[in-house]
Amino acid sequence: MSYEVASVRKMTEDNLKTAFAGESQAHMRYLIFAKRAEAEGFHNVARMFIAISYAEQVHASNHFNALGLLRGSTDNLQMAIEGETYEVNEMYPAFNAVAQLQEEKGAVQTINFALQAEKIHASMYEKAKQAVEMSKDIQLGSVYICDVCGYTVEGEAPDRCPVCGASGEKFKKF
Ligand code: FE2
Ligand code: FE2
Ligand code: FE2
């Protein structure tokens, strides 16, 4: 990504980026573990995972800020657009090609689930950036996310997810 880090020396910059990646992954991993603990009936273990995942989020955010990477929303939306666009145009198509070649069916599915949603994310961010550039907030209805594949839709949940076929009740509302 084309964002410069102003005030941190190179080795510290690399270290903070590594720490940001590690804390981000720990945050995510603990949320996934919490879901499993909940399903297994270990409610306090689940709550512990969720609480500590939040601490890792704080750590990741602090590292990100110390790197000088936090900008205003116009720049942030641009960064988000670039990330999603890279995933759509380069990363997931290339990953998909390798997964197909290696006949890794599970990977093909999860890559395709993500690829379909990232296209929508890119266009939602594009629309948002246009508004924010004019100092306006966006008009945004409810956003629904498919709990199975991450398909993203504004307005209402469909009867069936167009990407994975899950029923509309599987959507989470934001
Ligand atoms: Fe941490
Ligand atoms: Fe995305
Ligand atoms: Fe889905």
Side-chain angles (χ1 to χ4, degrees), residues 1 9 15 17 22 42 58 63 68 77 87 89 92 100 110 112 129 133 147 157 159 172:
M1 223 145 287
R9 293 175 67 184
N15 291 345
K17 283 181 173 172
F42 304 129
V58 171
H63 296 332
L77 284 162
E87 290 174 356
N89 292 339
Y92 282 133
Q100 296 275 5
T110 187
N112 185 55
K129 192 186 161 213
E133 274 174 339
D147 198 32
D159 291 338
K172 190 171 162 150

Side-chain angles (χ1 to χ4, degrees), residues 84 87 114 117-118 121-122 125:
E84 300 284 350
E87 290 174 356
E118 314 311 5
H121 300 168
Y125 286 146

